[in-house]
Amino acid sequence: MYFPIEKSFFHMPVLELARNLVGQMIVHELPEGVIAARIVETEAYHGPEDRAAHSYGNRRTKRTEIMFGEAGLVYTYQMHTHTLMNVVSGPVGTPHAVLIRAAEPVEGFELIRDRRGEHLKMTDWTNGPGKLSKALGVTMAYYGHHWGDEPLFIAEGPGASEVVSGPRVGIGNSGEAVHYPWRFYENNNSFVSKYRP
DNA sequence: GGTGAGATTATCT
DNA sequence: GATAATCTCACCT
């Protein structure tokens, strides 16, 4: 049984939050059962000053609107045919966010397998942001939800053995921002997504 | 095990 | 009409 983490947990600087989310649990309670996974990889997006962020230069559109809200809200975003999950960070009016990129399944293996496919290796279930949201059943319907509320929430997890940082993935031509070491992941964990230069 | 191209759709200019 | 915080599959080593 899992319980949502204190909402005050989200009130810390975005880089710190990104690092501290590694090792926590992400839980989705569905009518069919509970899916739980331990977060092993995140990325921080530093709103106004980060060329790779959707909210760069305080760009405020219908899509980025939620990032200007309270820390702990859910920012879901459609990329091609996939949904990506973020945790809003920073005080109200400051559009920071943490992208949840990968997690290690802990509970609900059969539900995940049903969604992702019988033939896949277990490590291919959740080792990327699009795959993770599909495995957990997270959709755009959660845009604006809070990560401290059921049925989709962050719970206190067992932590991570060793958290390391490196450059972020898939942000192409974002100038200097490409090199910022704002990706955090558990060292030597096979559920961490592959880095593609 | 690794690299490279194409898919495919909401969102913004 | 261009773009994208990705995924999958084919082909190479």
Side-chain angles (χ1 to χ4, degrees), chain A residues 28 30 35 81-85 111-117 119-120 124-126 128-139:
Chain A
H28 195 188
L30 295 161
I35 300 178
T81 55
H82 309 282
T83 304
L84 278 61
M85 289 181 275
L111 297 176
I112 296 176
R113 195 193 313 137
D114 288 349
R115 285 203 169 71
R116 293 285 301 135
H119 59 289
L120 282 180
D124 285 329
W125 285 354
T126 53
K131 302 178 194 177
L132 179 62
S133 38
K134 186 168 186 196
L136 296 187
V138 174
T139 65

Side-chain angles (χ1 to χ4, degrees), chain A residues 26 54 74-86 99-102 116 126 128-144 147 152:
Chain A
I26 176 169
H54 294 150
V74 177
Y75 171 43
T76 46
Y77 159 66
Q78 294 271 152
M79 172 57 176
H80 289 66
T81 55
H82 309 282
T83 304
L84 278 61
M85 289 181 275
N86 296 254
L99 170 66
I100 301 175
R101 288 192 58 85
R116 293 285 301 135
T126 53
K131 302 178 194 177
L132 179 62
S133 38
K134 186 168 186 196
L136 296 187
V138 174
T139 65
M140 286 300 290
Y142 282 103
Y143 183 93
W147 283 110
L152 176 69

Side-chain angles (χ1 to χ4, degrees), chain A residues 4 14-15 19 21 26 34 41 45 48 56-57 81 85 96 107 125 130 146 153 159 164 166 168 170 179 197:
Chain A
V14 64
L15 292 179
R19 178 178 285 269
L21 277 170
I26 176 169
V34 175
E41 180 182 3
Y45 286 84
Y56 175 60
T81 55
M85 289 181 275
H96 294 173
E107 199 175 318
W125 285 354
H146 197 293
F153 58 90
V164 293
R168 291 173 293 178
H179 308 297

Side-chain angles (χ1 to χ4, degrees), chain A residues 50-73:
Chain A
D50 183 358
R51 278 197 59 182
H54 294 150
S55 52
Y56 175 60
N58 279 316
R59 225 156 67 98
R60 191 165 189 157
T61 65
K62 191 180 172 190
R63 183 177 64 169
T64 62
E65 181 65 32
I66 201 68
M67 286 197 274
F68 290 85
E70 170 192 1
L73 292 175

